[in-house]
């Protein structure tokens, strides 16, 4: 039995000692992994004192989920990360069931405030419940607020849940006030995003509900985020237990959704205009965003899936990773994404093939590798080609397939030949806009992590593949003539 008072110090000593046994070569190049042990959601993503800080749901002692701590890493450029000591441990009565997800905001006095969910275990007075807590510090060490919790479920009107009340995302309004959106499970409206305000970050008032599932978008909304983007407002949520919706692109189970709408900053009413998945791949959950000093809205997510992670082999002393940070922007009413431009600072060994005519099978000298940033632009205007394929991470036995159905306007990501031995989903199909005579595919492959950006990033697919790292081949196939431009860059640190 560990002693509560020393939990944080113990976890820091443990991660320092154990991480020394994990060579860099055991980790992906750019995808952040936990210092040691288990990682899930990104937390407290912010820019503070000249550095990006990224905290994460963390259990250092095993490669499975356990009592939640907050791990911590910092970066100057969003692609090269350094570990910092664990920031929070479940060491008070208000969070002894775990320090669940949350966010961070710099304070006027120069300190950094973390807001997170404290899970209170069931006792004689109450069943297990969740409430929001605060810890304030200098960016490395944080002191939990005397007031524990700062945002109890008692602030919520009847009908909301005290058991499922979590994942506060905090920001400062133009009026200087603190605002916070949290996830909840409403008795009738199910998944819901609830909004609070505060003068000082410690005393909170419930304002209202931004939006809810209304029986259609999952049973519980985890990890909400809410921000202005290109003249509109976006609410990100991670809905649990959704039914599939082929028209919108949601698969059955846990999803990530972007609600796009109009927000009235005076009344705090948010009106939904559109709904879309954030990422249509296999491994993507709980995204969180921050604003960069130059005004970009950057998102990062947990590159795993609750339902399939359990059956995965634990091949390292770490488990779980983050996606690449991605810049968000709106295009024709749709939330789009591109990898952060800082990734370009890792490029080397570039190969450019302009206007290659592909008819049948093709491969290009130097276009290969497992740490690459590759863009293929298909000129489909007057091409005879109807079906175009790209295979990557290819050897004699394995490949992962990106298949473009140019007539139907669809791109299928198929990892069924990637070496998987499990009966889990292996294919996803997303829409592709082929209207302006071009289709762009950008693939960032980092060992076993693949992120595909289709078109201008209207659709993305995040996927992990089981293929041995020696499978470096990339090949193309067209069922009729088509001109293709290919830009490939190796990624190196
Ligand atoms: C989402 C989530 C959050 C919760 C955290 C616990 O992945 O379930 O709702 O705060 O993970 O680790």
């Amino acid at each position: 039995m560990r002693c509560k008072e020393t939990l944080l110090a113990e976890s820091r000593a443990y991660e320092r000692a154990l991480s020394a046994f994990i060579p860099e070569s055991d980790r992906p190049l750019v995808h952040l992994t936990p210092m040691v042990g288990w990682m899930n959601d990104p937390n407290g993503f912010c820019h503070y004192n000249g550095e990006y800080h990224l905290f994460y749901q963390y259990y250092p002692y095993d490669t499975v989920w356990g009592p939640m701590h907050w791990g911590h890493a910092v970066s100057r450029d969003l692609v090269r990360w350094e570990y910092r000591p664990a920031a929070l441990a479940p060491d008070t009565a208000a969070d002894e069931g775990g320090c669940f997800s949350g966010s961070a905001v710099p304070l006027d006095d120069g300190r950094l405030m973390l807001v997170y969910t404290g899970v209170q275990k069931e006792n004689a007075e109450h069943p297990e419940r969740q409430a929001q807590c605060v810890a304030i510090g200098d960016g490395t060490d944080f002191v939990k607020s005397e007031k524990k919790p700062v945002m109890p479920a008692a602030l919520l009107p009847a009908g909301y849940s005290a058991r499922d009340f979590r994942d506060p995302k905090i920001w400062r309004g133009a009026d200087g006030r603190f605002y916070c959106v949290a996830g909840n499970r409403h008795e009738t409206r199910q998944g819901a995003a609830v909004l609070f305000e505060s003068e000082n970050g410690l005393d909170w008032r419930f304002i209202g509900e931004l939006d809810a599932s209304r029986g259609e978008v999952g049973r519980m909304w985890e990890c909400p985020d809410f921000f202005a983007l290109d003249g509109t407002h976006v609410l990100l949520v991670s809905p649990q237990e959704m039914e599939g919706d082929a028209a919108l692109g949601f698969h059955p189970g846990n999803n990530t959704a972007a609600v796009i709408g109009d927000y009235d900053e005076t009344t705090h009413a948010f009106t939904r205009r559109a709904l879309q998945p954030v990422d249509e791949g296999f491994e993507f959950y709980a995204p969180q965003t921050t604003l960069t000093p130059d005004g970009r809205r950057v998102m990062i997510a947990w590159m795993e899936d609750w339902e399939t992670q359990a059956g995965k082999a634990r091949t390292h002393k770490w488990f779980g990773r983050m996606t690449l940070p991605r810049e968000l922007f709106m295009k024709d009413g749709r939330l789009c994404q591109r990898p952060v431009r800082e990734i370009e600072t890792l490029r080397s060994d570039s190969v450019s093939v302009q206007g290659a005519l592909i008819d049948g099978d093709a491969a290009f000298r130097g276009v290969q590798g497992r740490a690459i940033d590759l863009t293929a632009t298909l000129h489909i205007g007057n091409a005879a080609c109807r079906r175009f394929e790209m295979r990557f991470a290819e050897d004699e036995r394995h490949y992962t397939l990106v298949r473009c159905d140019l007539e139907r306007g669809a791109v299928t990501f198929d990892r069924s030949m990637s070496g998987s031995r499990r009966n889990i989903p292996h294919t996803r199909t997303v829409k592709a806009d082929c209207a302006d005579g071009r289709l762009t595919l950008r693939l960032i492959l980092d060992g076993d992590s693949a992120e595909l950006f289709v078109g201008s990033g209207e659709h993305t697919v995040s996927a992990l593949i089981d293929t041995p790292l020696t499978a470096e081949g990339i090949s193309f196939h067209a069922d009729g003539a088509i001109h293709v431009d290919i830009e490939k860059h190796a990624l190196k640190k």
Side-chain angles (χ1 to χ4, degrees), residues 9 18 73 90 117 198 202 223 267 277 285 308 355 394 410 443 451 457:
L18 265 286
T117 301
S198 169
L202 298 175
C223 301
T267 61
Y285 198 64
T308 56
E394 188 175 22
L443 171 72
E451 297 185 45

Side-chain angles (χ1 to χ4, degrees), residues 20-43:
F21 294 99
I22 306 180
E24 274 293 298
S25 56
D26 253 24
R27 302 181 187 269
L29 188 76
V30 276
H31 290 74
L32 180 72
T33 49
M35 194 166 173
V36 60
W38 164 274
M39 161 194 276
N40 59 291
D41 314 352
N43 294 158

Side-chain angles (χ1 to χ4, degrees), residues 38 40-41 57 65 68 100-101 117 166-167 220 222-223 240 285-286 302 306:
W38 164 274
N40 59 291
D41 314 352
Q57 288 287 278
W65 191 87
M68 279 292 105
F100 277 19
S101 284
T117 301
R166 59 180 175 270
D167 310 337
M220 164 66 193
E222 298 191 306
C223 301
Q240 292 180 310
Y285 198 64
W302 182 40
W306 280 114

Side-chain angles (χ1 to χ4, degrees), residues 40 55 62-63 113 163 235 238 250 279 285 368 395 423 431 458 475 480 482 491-492:
N40 59 291
F55 303 82
D62 204 344
T63 48
M113 180 162 86
R163 200 191 171 92
L235 171 67
S238 294
F250 290 103
D279 184 286
Y285 198 64
Q368 59 175 65
D395 64 11
N423 185 9
K431 289 186 187 140
E458 294 92 350
S475 65
I482 186 166
L491 295 174
K492 279 200 186 117

Side-chain angles (χ1 to χ4, degrees), residues 86-145:
L88 299 176
D91 53 9
T92 70
D95 58 28
E96 62 181 355
C99 299
F100 277 19
S101 284
S103 52
V105 72
L107 296 175
D108 294 339
D109 66 8
R111 293 180 301 163
L112 186 65
M113 180 162 86
L114 310 181
V115 188
Y116 67 98
T117 301
V119 179
Q120 296 172 28
K121 288 186 178 160
E122 177 176 354
N123 63 26
E125 278 139 46
H126 60 76
E128 181 176 300
R129 62 188 186 190
Q130 302 185 336
Q132 317 324 321
C133 301
V134 157
I136 297 177
D138 61 2
T140 302
D141 298 306
F142 296 88
V143 177
K144 292 180 180 171
S145 152

